[in-house]
PDB file of all heavy atoms in Angstrom:
ATOM      1  N   ASP A 205     -55.591 -10.534 106.100  1.00 85.00           N
ATOM      2  CA  ASP A 205     -54.599  -9.794 105.314  1.00 85.00           C
ATOM      3  C   ASP A 205     -55.322  -8.691 104.556  1.00 85.00           C
ATOM      4  O   ASP A 205     -56.525  -8.777 104.295  1.00 85.00           O
ATOM      5  CB  ASP A 205     -53.837 -10.715 104.364  1.00 85.00           C
ATOM      6  CG  ASP A 205     -54.735 -11.291 103.273  1.00 85.00           C
ATOM      7  OD1 ASP A 205     -54.978 -10.588 102.277  1.00 85.00           O
ATOM      8  OD2 ASP A 205     -55.190 -12.445 103.431  1.00 85.00           O
ATOM      9  N   TRP A 206     -54.580  -7.656 104.214  1.00 80.00           N
ATOM     10  CA  TRP A 206     -55.217  -6.446 103.688  1.00 80.00           C
ATOM     11  C   TRP A 206     -55.896  -6.679 102.338  1.00 80.00           C
ATOM     12  O   TRP A 206     -56.937  -6.062 102.051  1.00 80.00           O
ATOM     13  CB  TRP A 206     -54.195  -5.316 103.575  1.00 80.00           C
ATOM     14  CG  TRP A 206     -53.153  -5.493 102.509  1.00 80.00           C
ATOM     15  CD1 TRP A 206     -51.940  -6.071 102.631  1.00 80.00           C
ATOM     16  CD2 TRP A 206     -53.269  -5.066 101.151  1.00 80.00           C
ATOM     17  NE1 TRP A 206     -51.270  -6.048 101.436  1.00 80.00           N
ATOM     18  CE2 TRP A 206     -52.046  -5.432 100.510  1.00 80.00           C
ATOM     19  CE3 TRP A 206     -54.243  -4.417 100.409  1.00 80.00           C
ATOM     20  CZ2 TRP A 206     -51.800  -5.162  99.170  1.00 80.00           C
ATOM     21  CZ3 TRP A 206     -54.011  -4.158  99.070  1.00 80.00           C
ATOM     22  CH2 TRP A 206     -52.807  -4.534  98.459  1.00 80.00           C
ATOM     23  N   GLU A 207     -55.360  -7.587 101.515  1.00 86.00           N
ATOM     24  CA  GLU A 207     -55.984  -7.839 100.218  1.00 86.00           C
ATOM     25  C   GLU A 207     -57.353  -8.483 100.382  1.00 86.00           C
ATOM     26  O   GLU A 207     -58.321  -8.097  99.715  1.00 86.00           O
ATOM     27  CB  GLU A 207     -55.085  -8.717  99.357  1.00 86.00           C
ATOM     28  CG  GLU A 207     -53.823  -8.011  98.872  1.00 86.00           C
ATOM     29  CD  GLU A 207     -52.984  -8.892  97.981  1.00 86.00           C
ATOM     30  OE1 GLU A 207     -53.152 -10.137  98.041  1.00 86.00           O
ATOM     31  OE2 GLU A 207     -52.169  -8.345  97.220  1.00 86.00           O
ATOM     32  N   ALA A 208     -57.446  -9.460 101.266  1.00 83.00           N
ATOM     33  CA  ALA A 208     -58.734 -10.106 101.521  1.00 83.00           C
ATOM     34  C   ALA A 208     -59.715  -9.122 102.134  1.00 83.00           C
ATOM     35  O   ALA A 208     -60.910  -9.118 101.795  1.00 83.00           O
ATOM     36  CB  ALA A 208     -58.540 -11.313 102.440  1.00 83.00           C
ATOM     37  N   GLU A 209     -59.223  -8.278 103.044  1.00 85.00           N
ATOM     38  CA  GLU A 209     -60.095  -7.282 103.671  1.00 85.00           C
ATOM     39  C   GLU A 209     -60.606  -6.286 102.643  1.00 85.00           C
ATOM     40  O   GLU A 209     -61.769  -5.869 102.680  1.00 85.00           O
ATOM     41  CB  GLU A 209     -59.331  -6.554 104.784  1.00 85.00           C
ATOM     42  CG  GLU A 209     -59.010  -7.414 105.996  1.00 85.00           C
ATOM     43  CD  GLU A 209     -60.259  -7.928 106.690  1.00 85.00           C
ATOM     44  OE1 GLU A 209     -61.097  -7.103 107.088  1.00 85.00           O
ATOM     45  OE2 GLU A 209     -60.402  -9.163 106.809  1.00 85.00           O
ATOM     46  N   GLU A 210     -59.762  -5.920 101.713  1.00 90.00           N
ATOM     47  CA  GLU A 210     -60.171  -4.983 100.663  1.00 90.00           C
ATOM     48  C   GLU A 210     -61.240  -5.600  99.773  1.00 90.00           C
ATOM     49  O   GLU A 210     -62.220  -4.943  99.405  1.00 90.00           O
ATOM     50  CB  GLU A 210     -58.947  -4.578  99.836  1.00 90.00           C
ATOM     51  CG  GLU A 210     -59.212  -3.454  98.855  1.00 90.00           C
ATOM     52  CD  GLU A 210     -57.948  -3.021  98.138  1.00 90.00           C
ATOM     53  OE1 GLU A 210     -57.410  -3.797  97.304  1.00 90.00           O
ATOM     54  OE2 GLU A 210     -57.464  -1.910  98.422  1.00 90.00           O
ATOM     55  N   ARG A 211     -61.066  -6.880  99.436  1.00 89.00           N
ATOM     56  CA  ARG A 211     -62.078  -7.570  98.630  1.00 89.00           C
ATOM     57  C   ARG A 211     -63.400  -7.664  99.383  1.00 89.00           C
ATOM     58  O   ARG A 211     -64.471  -7.467  98.804  1.00 89.00           O
ATOM     59  CB  ARG A 211     -61.589  -8.976  98.247  1.00 89.00           C
ATOM     60  CG  ARG A 211     -60.482  -8.991  97.200  1.00 89.00           C
ATOM     61  CD  ARG A 211     -60.287 -10.390  96.634  1.00 89.00           C
ATOM     62  NE  ARG A 211     -59.859 -11.329  97.659  1.00 89.00           N
ATOM     63  CZ  ARG A 211     -58.591 -11.575  97.968  1.00 89.00           C
ATOM     64  NH1 ARG A 211     -57.624 -10.923  97.344  1.00 89.00           N
ATOM     65  NH2 ARG A 211     -58.274 -12.466  98.887  1.00 89.00           N
ATOM     66  N   ARG A 212     -63.327  -7.965 100.666  1.00 90.00           N
ATOM     67  CA  ARG A 212     -64.550  -8.061 101.466  1.00 90.00           C
ATOM     68  C   ARG A 212     -65.277  -6.721 101.519  1.00 90.00           C
ATOM     69  O   ARG A 212     -66.501  -6.663 101.445  1.00 90.00           O
ATOM     70  CB  ARG A 212     -64.227  -8.556 102.880  1.00 90.00           C
ATOM     71  CG  ARG A 212     -64.208 -10.063 103.019  1.00 90.00           C
ATOM     72  CD  ARG A 212     -64.250 -10.501 104.475  1.00 90.00           C
ATOM     73  NE  ARG A 212     -62.979 -10.264 105.145  1.00 90.00           N
ATOM     74  CZ  ARG A 212     -61.985 -11.150 105.177  1.00 90.00           C
ATOM     75  NH1 ARG A 212     -62.103 -12.306 104.558  1.00 90.00           N
ATOM     76  NH2 ARG A 212     -60.857 -10.883 105.819  1.00 90.00           N
ATOM     77  N   GLU A 213     -64.505  -5.645 101.655  1.00 92.00           N
ATOM     78  CA  GLU A 213     -65.118  -4.319 101.730  1.00 92.00           C
ATOM     79  C   GLU A 213     -65.818  -3.952 100.422  1.00 92.00           C
ATOM     80  O   GLU A 213     -66.914  -3.383 100.425  1.00 92.00           O
ATOM     81  CB  GLU A 213     -64.064  -3.269 102.074  1.00 92.00           C
ATOM     82  CG  GLU A 213     -64.592  -1.843 102.177  1.00 92.00           C
ATOM     83  CD  GLU A 213     -65.695  -1.665 103.199  1.00 92.00           C
ATOM     84  OE1 GLU A 213     -65.737  -2.445 104.188  1.00 92.00           O
ATOM     85  OE2 GLU A 213     -66.543  -0.772 103.006  1.00 92.00           O
ATOM     86  N   LYS A 214     -65.215  -4.294  99.301  1.00 91.00           N
ATOM     87  CA  LYS A 214     -65.840  -4.020  98.006  1.00 91.00           C
ATOM     88  C   LYS A 214     -67.141  -4.812  97.849  1.00 91.00           C
ATOM     89  O   LYS A 214     -68.142  -4.295  97.339  1.00 91.00           O
ATOM     90  CB  LYS A 214     -64.870  -4.361  96.869  1.00 91.00           C
ATOM     91  CG  LYS A 214     -63.726  -3.369  96.729  1.00 91.00           C
ATOM     92  CD  LYS A 214     -62.814  -3.741  95.565  1.00 91.00           C
ATOM     93  CE  LYS A 214     -61.698  -2.717  95.411  1.00 91.00           C
ATOM     94  NZ  LYS A 214     -60.779  -3.077  94.290  1.00 91.00           N
ATOM     95  N   ARG A 215     -67.133  -6.052  98.290  1.00 94.00           N
ATOM     96  CA  ARG A 215     -68.337  -6.872  98.205  1.00 94.00           C
ATOM     97  C   ARG A 215     -69.414  -6.353  99.157  1.00 94.00           C
ATOM     98  O   ARG A 215     -70.610  -6.357  98.828  1.00 94.00           O
ATOM     99  CB  ARG A 215     -67.992  -8.332  98.502  1.00 94.00           C
ATOM    100  CG  ARG A 215     -67.153  -8.975  97.402  1.00 94.00           C
ATOM    101  CD  ARG A 215     -66.553 -10.314  97.795  1.00 94.00           C
ATOM    102  NE  ARG A 215     -67.556 -11.265  98.200  1.00 94.00           N
ATOM    103  CZ  ARG A 215     -67.587 -11.879  99.374  1.00 94.00           C
ATOM    104  NH1 ARG A 215     -66.647 -11.633 100.276  1.00 94.00           N
ATOM    105  NH2 ARG A 215     -68.531 -12.738  99.648  1.00 94.00           N
ATOM    106  N   THR A 216     -69.005  -5.891 100.325  1.00 95.00           N
ATOM    107  CA  THR A 216     -69.952  -5.304 101.280  1.00 95.00           C
ATOM    108  C   THR A 216     -70.635  -4.096 100.656  1.00 95.00           C
ATOM    109  O   THR A 216     -71.864  -3.939 100.743  1.00 95.00           O
ATOM    110  CB  THR A 216     -69.221  -4.886 102.572  1.00 95.00           C
ATOM    111  OG1 THR A 216     -68.636  -6.033 103.178  1.00 95.00           O
ATOM    112  CG2 THR A 216     -70.178  -4.230 103.557  1.00 95.00           C
ATOM    113  N   GLN A 217     -69.856  -3.236 100.037  1.00 94.00           N
ATOM    114  CA  GLN A 217     -70.410  -2.036  99.412  1.00 94.00           C
ATOM    115  C   GLN A 217     -71.332  -2.390  98.245  1.00 94.00           C
ATOM    116  O   GLN A 217     -72.383  -1.767  98.070  1.00 94.00           O
ATOM    117  CB  GLN A 217     -69.277  -1.132  98.950  1.00 94.00           C
ATOM    118  CG  GLN A 217     -68.461  -0.523 100.082  1.00 94.00           C
ATOM    119  CD  GLN A 217     -67.257   0.260  99.590  1.00 94.00           C
ATOM    120  OE1 GLN A 217     -67.024   0.386  98.382  1.00 94.00           O
ATOM    121  NE2 GLN A 217     -66.476   0.790 100.519  1.00 94.00           N
ATOM    122  N   ALA A 218     -70.941  -3.379  97.463  1.00 94.00           N
ATOM    123  CA  ALA A 218     -71.763  -3.778  96.317  1.00 94.00           C
ATOM    124  C   ALA A 218     -73.104  -4.340  96.766  1.00 94.00           C
ATOM    125  O   ALA A 218     -74.143  -4.073  96.142  1.00 94.00           O
ATOM    126  CB  ALA A 218     -71.014  -4.811  95.474  1.00 94.00           C
ATOM    127  N   PHE A 219     -73.103  -5.108  97.851  1.00 97.00           N
ATOM    128  CA  PHE A 219     -74.354  -5.663  98.370  1.00 97.00           C
ATOM    129  C   PHE A 219     -75.264  -4.536  98.847  1.00 97.00           C
ATOM    130  O   PHE A 219     -76.458  -4.511  98.524  1.00 97.00           O
ATOM    131  CB  PHE A 219     -74.063  -6.630  99.515  1.00 97.00           C
ATOM    132  CG  PHE A 219     -75.270  -7.370 100.023  1.00 97.00           C
ATOM    133  CD1 PHE A 219     -75.682  -8.546  99.424  1.00 97.00           C
ATOM    134  CD2 PHE A 219     -75.998  -6.884 101.095  1.00 97.00           C
ATOM    135  CE1 PHE A 219     -76.802  -9.229  99.884  1.00 97.00           C
ATOM    136  CE2 PHE A 219     -77.113  -7.552 101.566  1.00 97.00           C
ATOM    137  CZ  PHE A 219     -77.519  -8.731 100.962  1.00 97.00           C
ATOM    138  N   ALA A 220     -74.707  -3.610  99.620  1.00 97.00           N
ATOM    139  CA  ALA A 220     -75.504  -2.495 100.131  1.00 97.00           C
ATOM    140  C   ALA A 220     -76.058  -1.644  98.995  1.00 97.00           C
ATOM    141  O   ALA A 220     -77.225  -1.219  99.023  1.00 97.00           O
ATOM    142  CB  ALA A 220     -74.658  -1.642 101.069  1.00 97.00           C
ATOM    143  N   LEU A 221     -75.246  -1.423  97.967  1.00 96.00           N
ATOM    144  CA  LEU A 221     -75.681  -0.614  96.832  1.00 96.00           C
ATOM    145  C   LEU A 221     -76.789  -1.322  96.044  1.00 96.00           C
ATOM    146  O   LEU A 221     -77.718  -0.679  95.534  1.00 96.00           O
ATOM    147  CB  LEU A 221     -74.490  -0.316  95.930  1.00 96.00           C
ATOM    148  CG  LEU A 221     -74.615   0.856  94.954  1.00 96.00           C
ATOM    149  CD1 LEU A 221     -75.024   2.134  95.666  1.00 96.00           C
ATOM    150  CD2 LEU A 221     -73.310   1.054  94.204  1.00 96.00           C
ATOM    151  N   SER A 222     -76.712  -2.627  95.964  1.00 97.00           N
ATOM    152  CA  SER A 222     -77.761  -3.389  95.275  1.00 97.00           C
ATOM    153  C   SER A 222     -79.093  -3.268  96.022  1.00 97.00           C
ATOM    154  O   SER A 222     -80.154  -3.154  95.396  1.00 97.00           O
ATOM    155  CB  SER A 222     -77.354  -4.859  95.163  1.00 97.00           C
ATOM    156  OG  SER A 222     -76.168  -4.998  94.420  1.00 97.00           O
ATOM    157  N   ALA A 223     -79.034  -3.309  97.348  1.00 98.00           N
ATOM    158  CA  ALA A 223     -80.257  -3.132  98.141  1.00 98.00           C
ATOM    159  C   ALA A 223     -80.808  -1.721  97.955  1.00 98.00           C
ATOM    160  O   ALA A 223     -82.036  -1.525  97.862  1.00 98.00           O
ATOM    161  CB  ALA A 223     -79.975  -3.403  99.617  1.00 98.00           C
ATOM    162  N   GLU A 224     -79.925  -0.729  97.895  1.00 97.00           N
ATOM    163  CA  GLU A 224     -80.367   0.642  97.645  1.00 97.00           C
ATOM    164  C   GLU A 224     -81.012   0.762  96.264  1.00 97.00           C
ATOM    165  O   GLU A 224     -81.969   1.514  96.073  1.00 97.00           O
ATOM    166  CB  GLU A 224     -79.185   1.601  97.749  1.00 97.00           C
ATOM    167  CG  GLU A 224     -78.633   1.793  99.155  1.00 97.00           C
ATOM    168  CD  GLU A 224     -77.430   2.706  99.171  1.00 97.00           C
ATOM    169  OE1 GLU A 224     -77.285   3.523  98.241  1.00 97.00           O
ATOM    170  OE2 GLU A 224     -76.618   2.589 100.117  1.00 97.00           O
TER     171      GLU A 224
END
Side-chain angles (χ1 to χ4, degrees):
D205 66 81
W206 70 269
E207 290 182 340
E209 291 298 303
E210 189 176 69
R211 288 194 297 270
R212 273 195 287 271
E213 180 58 27
K214 287 181 178 179
R215 291 168 57 237
T216 299
Q217 293 174 2
F219 186 86
L221 199 53
S222 299
E224 290 177 24

